[in-house]
Amino acid sequence: MSTHAPNESRVISLRPQAPSPGSDGAAAGAPRRPVGGPQPRAPREPLWRHLVGDVLRRERLAQERTLKDVSEAARISMPYLSEVERGRKEASSEVLAAAAQALGLSLADLLLLAGDELARHARSRMVRGRTSPTSPTAQYDGFCLAA
């Protein structure tokens, strides 16, 4: 049974209410939040599509080529290649091979460059103390995992 009048609407705020002056800000039985707001998250490992996209864009810009030029040479639509470069699309191996070839790289070259970026990221995490020396990412040397 409802406690409000039948023709009245009731609004329930989804935002936390500011504490009223003179109160400690916590409702009876409500969990307390840590002081200082939300804790920052530890940086995540980059996604493979971001690494590959960064390599493609870096190589294209180093060659001073336009997105249109490379997309035409690779026979990939310009909007799709742009999405791949920005890491928004997970491209197939065929698309990656075509984009790499249009830039004068092999698919292996592209993947090795992206793998080097991943290894560099793993090393920087290890230096900052975020990865234990026994984790697989810490043992990655760019080509294979240490046994």
Side-chain angles (χ1 to χ4, degrees):
M1 188 176 221
S2 175
T3 59
H4 62 279
N7 291 333
E8 290 181 21
S9 62
R10 195 168 104 188
V11 177
I12 300 172
S13 176
L14 299 177
R15 294 187 179 133
Q17 299 296 317
S20 60
S23 74
D24 67 353
R32 292 184 166 258
R33 287 185 157 172
V35 178
Q39 298 298 320
R41 292 182 180 172
R44 294 183 187 169
E45 282 190 306
L47 297 175
W48 185 249
R49 67 176 186 255
H50 293 150
L51 295 168
V52 171
D54 288 345
V55 170
L56 287 171
R57 177 168 284 184
R58 191 170 45 249
E59 288 296 318
R60 179 178 60 79
L61 293 175
Q63 295 176 20
E64 297 180 355
R65 293 176 67 187
T66 65
L67 197 60
K68 181 180 181 187
D69 174 44
V70 175
S71 69
E72 287 174 354
R75 301 179 60 88
I76 302 169
S77 77
M78 191 169 63
Y80 187 74
L81 182 57
S82 174
E83 294 281 302
V84 170
E85 280 190 357
R86 289 182 287 149
R88 295 193 176 185
K89 295 290 183 188
E90 191 84 48
S92 68
S93 58
E94 291 87 358
V95 168
L96 293 178
Q101 186 177 11
L103 292 167
L105 301 170
S106 69
L107 181 58
D109 293 333
L110 175 63
L111 300 181
L112 284 171
L113 289 169
D116 288 345
E117 288 295 316
L118 183 59
R120 193 174 1 269
H121 183 272
R123 282 192 300 273
S124 70
R125 283 181 50 149
M126 194 169 79
V127 167
R128 286 182 270 148
R130 298 198 195 289
T131 305
S132 69
T134 58
S135 74
T137 56
Q139 296 174 12
Y140 182 71
D141 67 0
F143 295 101
C144 62
L145 294 176

